[in-house]
Amino acid sequence: GRGPVHVCFCTDDMDMRGLVVAIKTAMEHASDPSRLRFHVVTSPDAAPLFSAALLVHLRGVPIDFHCDRELQSRIDGLIRFERHTWTTIREERLHSTFNFAPFF
């Protein structure tokens, strides 16, 4: 079809460089970028920050921001992560509700 193509990112990582690059790359390489509609699922606390930053860096790109504190709490209650002395920073960063959000 010729309808919109929805692209969803789930993150609470305040380093938004990867997200900006992913969205810019999709826009640059899409055969019809006007069909792309981006969605960012994040925490209620981060949503205003993401909105302000991304709308500056990605002016004109259609991005919707979504958050649901209740669902976030439910997912967070299902995941477990034990920090150990050998736990890496990367592993800690991966322990985020938003790495599991796409499955809900």
Side-chain angles (χ1 to χ4, degrees):
R2 299 294 315 154
V5 175
H6 296 273
V7 181
C8 182
F9 295 96
C10 299
T11 184
D12 62 343
D13 189 346
M14 296 312 293
D15 182 356
M16 295 177 240
R17 292 176 293 182
L19 182 58
V20 169
V21 168
I23 292 172
K24 282 186 173 186
T25 300
M27 293 296 289
E28 289 173 16
H29 295 283
S31 60
D32 185 358
S34 68
R35 293 181 57 206
L36 296 179
R37 180 91 199 171
F38 296 94
H39 303 270
V40 176
V41 177
T42 191
S43 69
D45 297 333
L49 302 171
F50 272 71
S51 176
L54 293 179
L55 294 177
V56 166
H57 294 288
L58 298 167
R59 193 174 312 278
V61 176
I63 305 173
D64 294 322
F65 299 90
H66 308 275
C67 53
D68 185 328
R69 193 176 305 275
E70 185 177 315
L71 179 58
Q72 181 181 342
S73 293
R74 190 173 123 223
I75 296 169
D76 204 35
L78 296 172
I79 59 176
R80 300 285 181 260
F81 181 77
E82 292 185 33
R83 288 172 178 80
H84 302 282
T85 55
W86 61 84
T87 301
T88 66
I89 293 171
R90 179 174 168 73
E91 288 171 326
E92 285 194 31
R93 286 182 68 197
L94 288 174
H95 178 255
S96 166
T97 302
F98 296 96
N99 284 331
F100 298 92
F103 302 103
F104 288 82

